[in-house]
Amino acid sequence: MLRINQLKLAPDHTEQELKKALLTTVHLKEEELLEYHIHKRSIDARKKPTIFYSYAIDFQVKNEERILKKEKNKVQKVFQKAYEFPKAGTMKLRHRPIIVGAGPAGLFCAYSLAVQGYQPILVERGDMVEERMQDVEKFWNTGILNPKSNVQFGEGGAGTFSDGKLNTLVKDKFGRNNFVLETFVKFGADPAILYEQKPHIGTDVLACVVSNMRREILSLGGEVRFHAQVTGFVFEGSEKSDRHLKQIIINNSEKIDCDVLILAIGHSARDTFKVLYDEGIPMQAKSFAVGVRIEHPQEMINFSQYGAAHVSSLGAASYKLTHQAENGRGVYSFCMCPGGFVVNASSEKGGLAVNGMSYHARDSKNANSALIVTVTPQDFPDASYMGGVAFQRSLEQAAYRAGNSKIPLQLFGDFKEGRISTG
């Protein structure tokens, strides 16, 4: 397979124009081209308002060596690495593997194990995505929170209501990224996520994708249980150094035998963290990020990025910003939602947290982004692991009070001047 980078076309180009540009740039006759596909597509707006799509195209030809030699400054040979499931062990499991949490990590873990024939059990404290969406809508409309099924808890995890942005800075030497994207496409996502620089599914589409993944896990002999919160653990062995897990306890009553347990409990399962902490499971306090959501008219962002209020073939513009403050804190944007919404993402009564999301079309009049700073254990009142949880709760409870249970709002100009907004 050969690859050519920096192939630039106008945003409203046709498929035929893309093919013609490939043939012309590498001086190919059409009959020499066996196949081609887009590896990556990004937007080049450095000379706005003149904007281009910039492509990396992978293609096959009848005589690769001739093209490589002839176009050595334009073309490179590439090797696609497919993800390989880790080699199985030799010891037979007495019981099926159990995964706790049906967010992205737990869902993909269960799916991968099911494909390999392990028939895993996936337990989730919240509800299936179809029912969960009704719980979330009810909360947004009435303010009545279901602590078990909300934006944080339930099938698909918090990402289901954060519009399915699929970004990672992790180096992908194992081919995991492609495996994740191909799996999403298999279960209903737009194939464009395979090559877009900033792939995005959309909350409205992602719910269907997650549901389809669950059905596949079930068809392969797996089991998915909702309203099943892990509330305790049963260990064998008298000394903490040599004990091993025997059972997990569901909803303070049911016990399930367990050889292998994968905890994929996400950010907000603070009660489960406390159970683990009390059991003496080793834990470490780590840095995390806190901040606010800032919202702006989408047209303002389009002007900034594209030089125009609307470029129909490009859709809503996004941005990414970083800044080093004088006090040494790094400030940066995160989870930017073009044409999106700020939503209440609370998971505990008396506390308030926000998130951002977009639907697939990204056609809301506003954009929003989290603006966040990193906090370290030195910032916590108590530097232990649970001190970080207490610090989070104190902020969420203060936000709840400031907004009288609703999302507190403040104009940016007022924020800079340290005054409360009155309109």
Side-chain angles (χ1 to χ4, degrees):
M1 185 74 74
L2 303 179
R3 178 174 299 163
I4 180 170
N5 293 302
Q6 298 290 317
L7 196 64
K8 296 184 179 181
L9 288 94
D12 57 355
H13 70 82
T14 64
E15 177 70 25
Q16 191 58 36
E17 287 171 331
L18 176 62
K19 183 178 180 180
K20 182 179 178 181
L22 171 62
L23 295 171
T24 302
T25 305
V26 294
H27 301 98
L28 273 177
K29 296 178 182 178
E30 187 160 359
E31 58 268 23
E32 293 179 286
L33 182 63
L34 299 177
E35 66 167 285
Y36 71 97
H37 66 266
I38 302 169
H39 172 70
K40 195 67 68 180
R41 182 174 75 177
S42 58
I43 296 171
D44 185 346
R46 289 174 293 180
K47 297 180 180 179
K48 55 182 175 284
T50 302
I51 300 174
F52 300 98
Y53 270 134
S54 181
Y55 286 94
I57 303 291
D58 289 351
F59 62 100
Q60 282 188 322
V61 293
K62 293 179 179 179
N63 190 336
E64 281 192 355
E65 296 306 318
R66 183 182 71 82
I67 299 300
L68 276 172
K69 186 176 180 180
K70 182 181 174 184
E71 307 292 342
K72 60 182 179 181
N73 294 326
K74 298 178 183 176
V75 173
Q76 63 189 55
K77 192 173 181 67
V78 293
F79 300 92
Q80 299 283 17
K81 182 174 179 60
Y83 174 69
E84 295 180 8
F85 192 83
K87 187 177 179 181
T90 56
M91 186 182 298
K92 186 174 177 63
L93 294 174
R94 294 174 300 167
H95 309 290
R96 297 154 69 183
I98 300 175
I99 302 103
V100 182
L107 196 61
F108 268 88
C109 181
Y111 170 69
S112 299
L113 289 171
V115 168
Q116 297 296 318
Y118 284 89
Q119 298 181 325
I121 301 172
L122 176 62
V123 297
E124 164 60 49
R125 69 163 69 192
D127 217 330
M128 65 177 61
V129 69
E130 296 91 345
E131 304 298 327
R132 180 186 176 206
M133 292 180 78
Q134 296 180 32
D135 294 331
V136 170
E137 285 290 340
K138 180 180 179 182
F139 171 54
W140 288 345
N141 291 331
T142 68
I144 300 173
L145 175 70
N146 181 343
K148 302 287 188 185
S149 179
N150 47 59
V151 172
Q152 305 292 348
F153 297 137
E155 186 179 29
T160 308
F161 296 94
S162 189
D163 80 30
K165 284 181 289 291
L166 307 169
N167 302 332
T168 177
L169 299 178
V170 176
K171 299 239 182 279
D172 187 28
K173 62 181 180 180
F174 298 108
R176 290 193 184 108
N177 293 356
N178 285 339
F179 169 70
V180 168
L181 297 176
E182 288 164 358
T183 301
F184 279 134
V185 170
K186 175 181 177 181
F187 292 110
D190 187 339
I193 67 172
L194 297 173
Y195 57 78
E196 293 287 5
Q197 184 187 31
K198 296 179 180 179
H200 153 79
I201 296 179
T203 294
D204 46 343
V205 176
L206 188 59
C208 297
V209 173
V210 166
S211 177
N212 290 337
M213 287 186 70
R214 180 222 313 149
R215 291 186 178 92
E216 181 74 355
I217 292 168
L218 295 173
S219 73
L220 294 168
E223 183 179 340
V224 183
R225 296 184 53 181
F226 299 106
H227 309 291
Q229 181 179 350
V230 175
T231 53
F233 305 89
V234 178
F235 295 93
E236 283 185 331
S238 56
E239 298 295 328
K240 288 187 176 181
S241 59
D242 66 356
R243 65 182 180 165
H244 62 270
L245 185 64
K246 180 183 178 183
Q247 295 173 318
I248 61 170
I249 302 172
I250 301 292
N251 298 334
N252 293 307
S253 57
E254 180 186 2
K255 292 181 179 180
I256 304 178
D257 293 333
C258 182
D259 286 322
V260 175
L261 179 71
I262 296 119
L263 291 171
I265 54 179
H267 162 276
S268 299
R270 295 162 178 166
D271 44 8
T272 310
F273 296 147
K274 183 66 165 57
V275 173
L276 293 164
Y277 186 77
D278 291 343
E279 284 286 356
I281 303 299
M283 288 187 172
Q284 180 182 359
K286 299 182 75 173
S287 300
F288 58 93
V290 299
V292 299
R293 282 267 159 191
I294 187 162
E295 189 172 50
H296 1 248
Q298 182 62 52
E299 288 188 355
M300 178 195 299
I301 305 305
N302 290 351
F303 265 115
S304 172
Q305 303 296 72
Y306 298 157
H310 299 283
V311 181
S312 59
S313 52
L314 294 179
S318 66
Y319 64 82
K320 183 177 181 180
L321 297 170
T322 63
H323 174 71
Q324 193 72 23
E326 291 180 359
N327 62 5
R329 297 272 186 183
V331 187
Y332 55 101
S333 64
F334 173 77
C335 187
M336 193 270 161
C337 300
F341 304 89
V342 176
V343 298
N344 191 328
S346 304
S347 60
E348 293 184 346
K349 290 184 176 180
L352 188 144
V354 294
N355 204 349
M357 59 166 266
S358 301
Y359 293 119
H360 182 70
R362 286 180 162 172
D363 55 2
S364 165
K365 67 178 182 179
N366 289 329
N368 72 81
S369 177
L371 284 185
I372 55 181
V373 297
T374 299
V375 293
T376 70
Q378 286 70 44
D379 295 309
F380 310 156
D382 170 8
S384 72
Y385 163 73
M386 295 308 291
V389 172
F391 182 67
Q392 289 176 323
R393 279 188 168 134
S394 69
L395 292 175
E396 292 183 13
Q397 289 166 1
Y400 184 88
R401 293 191 298 270
N404 193 24
S405 81
K406 296 181 173 59
I407 296 175
L409 307 173
Q410 188 176 26
L411 294 169
F412 178 62
D414 290 337
F415 171 77
K416 289 206 300 180
E417 298 300 322
R419 61 178 177 245
I420 295 173
S421 295
T422 57

